[in-house]
Amino acid sequence: MTSLREENRPAAGAQPAKLTIPIVDLSLLAKPNGVEEAAKLRSALQSWGLFVVTGHGMPKEFLDEILDATRKFFHLPLEVKQKCSNVIGGAMFQNEGYGTDRIDSDEQILDWELLHEYTVKIGKVTMDVLKAMAKLVDQKEDFFIEMVGERFKSYARFTYYPPCPRPELVNGLKPHTDNSVITLLLMDKDVGGLQVLKDGHWVDVPVLGHDLLVVVGEGMEIVSNAVFKAPWHRVVTSVDKERVSLATFYQPEPQRIIGPPGALVHEKRPPMFKKCLVQTLADGYWDAFAVGERTVDFLNVRIDAEADGKLELESVATNN
């Protein structure tokens, strides 16, 4: 095991204070009188870039089945899991497969009907969240959906974190931002590990049981002209407990060109990003991840980071 430099170790930036991750009830948000819940959503997005979503309508038993199937796959013998390997012929690498972001193979091990059902259900949650976010910027509810394309892609990533003998020395997943529009996380209902960077400190995301976590990605940051921002987050490991999770990333159509929309650009908020091809962002993500940078910075898509900070302060002051 190769340990991180001392300043980058999980224990180095521990947050002593207990901060509460914001919670939004999706079932209340969708109601005509959901003004109070919309205010909670606005506050969560502006201050955290993520929130816990309750009232999503998916039965507990169904979510348990998803996590159980995930755990069972990772408990299979290595030779069985490697039938779904992302390496072809010992040399050619592909994005899909065991060992990378998602599992997708003709030699299917997981219950794919179960995954299909989950994809349909969580897709509805995603649409409801995007519609609510559009209303927060005083646009019609399909505003962001139309910007990223009605056939935008979703990717499922099943992750297994084994127990680690020295969890204070290594990350389970290094600090990063997502390049999605939004990410929906179904996390282990018994073991925590996800942390979000808040005001310079790493804050634990608590065990959520059967609730979901919605995380803003850099794609949304671009199409909202930095009204909504992607938070830095990471995963730390446990000395004696394994952990599983299922992340679903929603990304714009690959051949679509995205940028700050005219409706969200004005004198006080000039365009914060250049227009760019979605596929270019996707291709540059892993290079940016490898060096610990945001994709928009690595690819020089951001126009003025200093102005972005000033606008954020102005926005916070105005809302207060």
Side-chain angles (χ1 to χ4, degrees):
M1 176 180 67
T2 302
S3 64
L4 297 169
R5 293 180 180 178
E6 185 172 354
E7 65 270 20
N8 295 328
R9 293 174 183 175
Q15 164 68 330
K18 296 293 184 182
L19 299 180
T20 303
I21 305 295
I23 300 173
V24 176
D25 188 327
L26 195 61
S27 65
L28 296 179
L29 193 63
K31 293 184 177 180
N33 59 347
V35 177
E36 182 178 342
E37 215 61 26
K40 291 181 183 178
L41 177 61
R42 179 186 298 277
S43 175
L45 291 170
Q46 289 184 336
S47 60
W48 289 84
L50 52 72
F51 60 93
V52 177
V53 60
T54 64
H56 50 66
M58 286 186 279
K60 296 179 180 180
E61 297 78 10
F62 174 68
L63 297 178
D64 286 341
E65 195 174 0
I66 290 286
L67 290 176
D68 288 344
T70 303
R71 198 180 304 274
K72 286 178 181 177
F73 173 81
F74 285 107
H75 284 176
L76 290 171
L78 180 60
E79 59 271 19
V80 176
K81 290 183 289 189
Q82 285 183 333
K83 292 180 180 179
C84 301
S85 175
N86 60 306
V87 178
I88 302 174
M92 184 180 297
F93 176 85
Q94 61 178 3
N95 288 328
E96 299 86 1
Y98 171 63
T100 187
D101 288 345
R102 58 191 171 115
I103 303 168
D104 186 9
S105 170
D106 291 336
E107 305 232 18
Q108 295 171 344
I109 302 297
L110 287 172
D111 184 342
W112 295 108
E113 290 185 7
L114 183 64
L115 178 59
H116 174 72
E117 184 179 355
Y118 177 78
T119 301
V120 172
K121 290 180 181 295
I122 204 169
K124 183 181 183 304
V125 176
T126 301
M127 294 298 105
D128 289 343
V129 169
L130 289 177
K131 290 175 181 179
M133 292 175 74
K135 292 179 181 178
L136 293 181
V137 292
D138 297 322
Q139 302 298 320
K140 62 180 183 178
E141 65 177 17
D142 290 340
F143 180 71
F144 288 124
I145 297 173
E146 291 177 355
M147 287 199 65
V148 301
E150 293 184 358
R151 298 180 63 83
F152 65 98
K153 294 182 176 294
S154 64
Y155 299 90
R157 176 180 180 178
F158 302 85
T159 307
Y160 174 79
Y161 301 95
C164 176
R166 298 294 303 276
E168 75 279 6
L169 298 181
V170 297
N171 286 310
L173 185 60
K174 65 187 294 186
H176 65 286
T177 54
D178 294 344
N179 71 331
S180 58
V181 177
I182 59 172
T183 303
L184 272 73
L185 278 168
L186 172 61
M187 301 191 296
D188 197 302
K189 64 178 182 177
D190 298 312
V191 183
L194 181 65
Q195 296 181 334
V196 58
L197 189 63
K198 169 69 171 165
D199 299 330
H201 298 283
W202 289 105
V203 180
D204 288 329
V205 176
V207 173
L208 300 180
H210 297 91
D211 295 330
L212 304 173
L213 189 73
V214 177
V215 183
V216 172
E218 290 188 43
M220 173 57 73
E221 189 165 336
I222 292 172
V223 299
S224 72
N225 198 27
V227 172
F228 307 126
K229 298 182 179 180
W232 285 92
H233 51 288
R234 69 180 183 183
V235 177
V236 297
T237 56
S238 169
V239 67
D240 59 355
K241 296 179 180 178
E242 65 179 15
R243 178 179 181 271
V244 297
S245 67
L246 170 54
T248 308
F249 305 91
Y250 290 87
Q251 297 179 329
E253 296 171 347
Q255 299 308 313
R256 182 173 287 261
I257 294 176
I258 60 172
L264 300 182
V265 173
H266 47 78
E267 183 178 352
K268 292 185 177 181
R269 181 173 286 275
M272 304 304 301
F273 302 97
K274 306 171 187 175
K275 291 183 178 180
C276 56
L277 183 69
V278 171
Q279 187 62 58
T280 301
L281 290 171
D283 292 342
Y285 176 74
W286 289 111
D287 290 334
F289 178 85
V291 297
E293 291 188 22
R294 290 160 48 90
T295 308
V296 291
D297 295 326
F298 183 81
L299 296 178
N300 196 30
V301 174
R302 186 193 300 274
I303 292 177
D304 189 343
E306 183 178 352
D308 186 16
K310 291 178 181 178
L311 282 171
E312 180 183 20
L313 293 174
E314 178 183 337
S315 175
V316 172
T318 300
N319 287 318
N320 287 340

